[in-house]
Amino acid sequence: MKKQMKFFVYMLPLILFGCSYEFPTAPEKPSLELGSANFDKFTILGGSVSSGFMDGALYNEGQNNAYAAHIGRLIEEELDTDIYSDLSVHSENGFNIDALEEFPNNPGRYKLLYSTPTEEWPVRMPTSGEELRLFTGKVDNVSNYSLPGLKISQLDDKELSGNIYFDRLTAWPAGQSLLDVALSQNPTLFILEAGISDIFNYAVDGASGDENPDPSNVLQYDLTPVTVFEESLNSAANRILSESEADLFLFTIPDPLKLPYFTQLPWYFSPSEFSKIRQLNLANIYDGLNLHIQQYNRNVENSNERRPLIVFDVDGGEKFRSKVIVDEYLPDAQTSDGVVIPKYRQMTDEDYFLYNAQMRHRESIATDAKLGTEIPVPDRYVITKGEMEIITERRNHFNNIIRDLASSDPQIHIIDFEQLIEKVYEGSESFNGVTYTLNFDYRGIISADGYNLNSKGQGLLANLLIEYFNGNFSSNLPLININSLRGNAYSSGF
């Protein structure tokens, strides 16, 4: 009763004298400011990263979560106009050309599969995909002209061939390069992703391509010569700056050898795997080869030219359980009797066992355990120390050329993609309390193929660009909520 009386006492003045109460309102959402950045003709030209290629395929979700698509949607909200479009594939799972060798019936994007509860590393298992559909839209009404795997010498190639993603562009004007058509849009802001495929294509294929190809005939999996890279980049940049009023943005090239495709699988057999391998009687298999190696080594004065023996020992450490590989960089060798010694050796902690071997490795352990023992691991499944040094040196050359070019003109800007990957690798890149990794885990930013960004990684790259715009062009674009983006998809087969 007392509570009711108090309520009446408080309400009586309001009833007698009247009162209008204004409820608090939510603060207005701040309007976006673009500053001095001119996004009217936002144009992108590049390779796999800029196209949104992930999980081994180009598909709808990947394209929609490309860094360029994120930024395009932000700007469209501010300008209330359509400024962003891409070469849409209209496919749920895409077409996974790298999986064709093992899965010939139209494989689609990878998902990561754990087949048993004890399996340490997931298998990249393709979904059901479909053949690439032709792009029948107007190519002169597109802002993102990026194609997966595009190399720098192909940017301004008027007779581009050999790229399946270019071949689907049925309405492409004859005699026009990708750069020609991109410049015909009169770009005001131009993002050029140049050089990543020139390193990654070679590395992902186990450095099986040519490291020093003829500059006039650089194939898809060859390592691009420094002269070709420098001439192609300078030519493209000069055209963009002279034929448009656009600010030009370039990416540095990250280190592929820090990504899970290269780092996740060990160079040695696990103790549980070795329990099967020890039954193969490997000593008998390699006794003859080791005798030839010992005979050869006795006649070699330079220790760098001596060949290592192949020794498996159940009681030894990791180096005695390491996989046997083919190493083309071993010196030629033969015995005094003229017997040619094959270029076999065991892996060390300075070599990389690539994820494209995971399926074959898993099947071998489940059956005869011969891959990496009786049967040396082929070159395309391994990056050796020598190949790593070649990749690193070439990538450093490319990044120096990119940085030198940017320092020569205030209209050229650098987005440090290399540093972003380095920070994730070191565990120092986070968003709203979540620290990201380069592993196959829920915080990983690399997709199921092991070397392309997933949606979270693309969001981080978008934020790197947004932070650059905000810091250098006085814009106030909001950051992408990375934690709301999908990471890798996992499934279990047990």
Side-chain angles (χ1 to χ4, degrees), residues 398-440:
F398 289 178
N399 278 334
N400 288 337
I401 291 168
I402 291 169
R403 290 190 169 97
D404 288 345
L405 178 61
S407 66
S408 70
D409 194 312
Q411 212 169 331
I412 304 177
H413 312 269
I414 280 190
I415 304 301
D416 205 341
F417 189 17
E418 176 190 34
Q419 183 60 26
L420 173 65
I421 295 300
E422 188 67 31
K423 289 174 66 177
V424 178
Y425 179 76
E426 294 170 352
S428 60
E429 182 68 27
S430 63
F431 184 85
N432 284 352
V434 177
T435 301
Y436 292 97
T437 76
L438 297 179
N439 301 322
F440 283 141

Side-chain angles (χ1 to χ4, degrees), residues 256-277:
L257 303 178
K258 287 185 165 62
L259 305 182
Y261 184 86
F262 301 89
T263 62
Q264 294 287 280
L265 299 181
W267 48 275
Y268 53 88
F269 294 103
S270 69
S272 62
E273 291 171 339
F274 203 69
S275 65
K276 286 190 173 185
I277 292 168

